[in-house]
Amino acid sequence: MTPNKAPIEPLSDASIEKAAKILAAGGLVAFPTETVYGLGGDATNGEAVARIFAAKGRPSINPLIVHVADLAAARRTAAFNPLADKLAATLWPGPLSLVLPARSDAGISSLTSAGLSTVAVRVPASAAARQLLTACGLPIAAPSANRSGGISPTRAAHVQTSLPGPDDGGPALILDGGPCAVGLESTVVDLSTETPTLLRPGGVASEDIEAVIGRLAIAGNDDLAPKSPGMLSRHYAPATPLRLEARRAEPGEVFLGFGSVEATPGLNLSPKADLIEAAANLFQYLHQLDQRSATAIAVAAIPEHGLGRAINDRLRRGATR
Ligand code: TXA
Ligand code: MG
């Protein structure tokens, strides 16, 4: 262990207790959720939140999601409306973040939501994440635990490689919960305005949200700049260029396949063309193929439905130079 790397500890009651103490004292902890690993800090502590932005190299105009242990805690953080009640009842805990008017009595630092009057809130499905949230009893601001713009982490080792160590402003501890089950960030839905709007496709398919509350508007990229600044185009990018909708790897390239294609040299997201399996493998495989010194990662076409929408969203942003 070199001193400038954050220590990784396997999940246990003791390591979760330790992490909760670090958070309560204003420190940073990376922890697993069902979507990706988060870089957590006390959302009510402006200095802790400022440390999150600094560790990621993230522009502070980009608001953070507030994670809470249960619906009761979410109601203390944001002002719920009937559509939010319905979605929370059906899809929480889970990979869904709701943007709602912030409650001024919640004490959330204005830095957390980048000065907006709204707050994005989510109850994660991961038992480890909820145990940590319960142990610290705080709303935890947590973006994905990677340097801003890079590939999101779905393994503790990804976090350790991407973020600085505790001496350089990184997390004091990385809790290791193994690979993330969903593998894509939460779906972000804005319920703070008249029209429910999808701000970011993610771990809950938009079809499943529409089945509960009806038609979602989709925010166009341009309107997103002020609304959800996290949707800035270039994001989720490996160092190796991505070439999308490819049929095979050209000489010098590696292939990221999907379905019944030969992925040599390369990896197949899901030989049986299962979008849930593909989502769970996406970031790990991009991390792996990025190590191969290829001229490009050629990526097979992915169907544009269900989790395929979120996978394509990440691939398109990763391909933007
Ligand atoms: O799955 C996830 O959501 C992960 C894990 C750790 O929970 N977190 C995550 O956070 O992906 P982050 O910071 O990488 O993405 C947060 C997204 C950004 O697109 C941001 O712009 C949007 O949520 N967001 C947060 N608060 C918002 C608000 N008040 N209004 C609009 N968009 C907001
Ligand atoms: Mg992120």
Side-chain angles (χ1 to χ4, degrees), residues 129-224:
R130 275 184 292 132
Q131 196 183 333
L132 175 63
L133 292 166
T134 305
C136 70
L138 290 165
I140 297 297
S144 51
N146 56 286
R147 288 289 294 178
S148 190
I151 309 172
S152 299
T154 56
R155 305 281 193 283
H158 298 162
V159 180
Q160 199 183 46
T161 312
S162 183
L163 290 181
D167 296 343
D168 301 312
L173 177 63
I174 302 169
L175 286 177
D176 188 353
C180 299
V182 175
L184 286 175
E185 293 85 350
S186 61
T187 306
V188 181
V189 175
D190 187 355
L191 296 175
S192 69
T193 60
E194 201 68 8
T195 317
T197 305
L198 178 71
L199 297 183
R200 176 175 74 179
V204 176
S206 50
E207 291 92 328
D208 295 342
I209 295 168
E210 292 187 325
V212 180
I213 59 165
R215 189 112 190 119
L216 279 176
I218 297 181
N221 268 340
D222 293 341
D223 353 322
L224 276 175

